[in-house]
Amino acid sequence: MKKEFRICKNYEFSSIIQKKTFVKSPSFVCYIQPKVEAHARIGISVGKKMGNAVKRNKIKRQLRSMIDEVFTFEEKYDVVIIVRPVYANHDYAENLNELKESKKKMEWRFKKTQ
């Protein structure tokens, strides 16, 4: 995932989460809002309950790889993905399938709110 497709600023995370349009799955909570720039952007948040910095960075690397497979960045919304502790209990393939299902739900939810 290229850096131009990432949400990095705290105020951007906060503004998306405050809209309260979200999709839940066992491993993720995904908040969405209409995109601000010409392309969609994605932010990743991994809490300290997931482990030390090494484990959290590994999770973020895995998630970026999954995002490259699932998202085209031509979506009409920005996404903040918050990783839940259950993520660590599943393997890569299970988490990838959950992310794909969450994306389908996000598409449906975004169409519903528009």
Side-chain angles (χ1 to χ4, degrees):
M1 183 168 80
K2 295 182 180 179
K3 286 198 175 189
E4 62 198 41
F5 298 137
R6 294 184 192 172
I7 298 171
C8 297
K9 303 290 183 187
N10 187 31
Y11 67 88
E12 293 173 325
F13 274 87
S14 298
S15 69
I16 293 173
I17 291 171
Q18 285 177 355
K19 299 288 183 190
K20 296 182 181 170
T21 304
F22 61 92
V23 172
K24 289 183 184 178
S25 73
S27 296
F28 308 107
V29 178
C30 304
Y31 289 89
I32 58 174
Q33 109 176 359
K35 66 182 177 180
V36 178
E37 297 184 3
H39 51 79
R41 296 176 310 147
I42 299 176
I44 301 170
S45 176
V46 182
K48 287 189 174 183
K49 287 185 179 180
M50 296 297 293
N52 62 12
V54 175
K55 291 178 184 176
R56 293 193 307 266
N57 287 333
K58 180 181 177 184
I59 290 168
K60 286 189 262 187
R61 283 194 307 271
Q62 286 179 345
L63 195 51
R64 282 190 211 109
S65 146
M66 290 181 214
I67 288 168
D68 284 336
E69 290 183 41
V70 175
F71 288 84
T72 62
F73 299 101
E74 295 175 3
E75 289 83 13
K76 298 179 182 177
Y77 49 86
D78 291 338
V79 182
V80 170
I81 300 174
I82 299 175
V83 181
R84 291 178 155 183
V86 176
Y87 178 94
N89 299 338
H90 297 126
D91 64 352
Y92 184 88
E94 288 175 316
N95 288 324
L96 180 61
N97 287 334
E98 274 190 42
L99 188 62
K100 287 179 182 178
E101 291 297 319
S102 294
K103 184 174 186 288
K104 289 178 188 176
K105 291 178 185 176
M106 283 186 265
E107 294 282 344
W108 180 80
R109 179 66 58 102
F110 185 76
K111 288 178 185 176
K112 183 179 171 185
T113 60
Q114 293 299 317

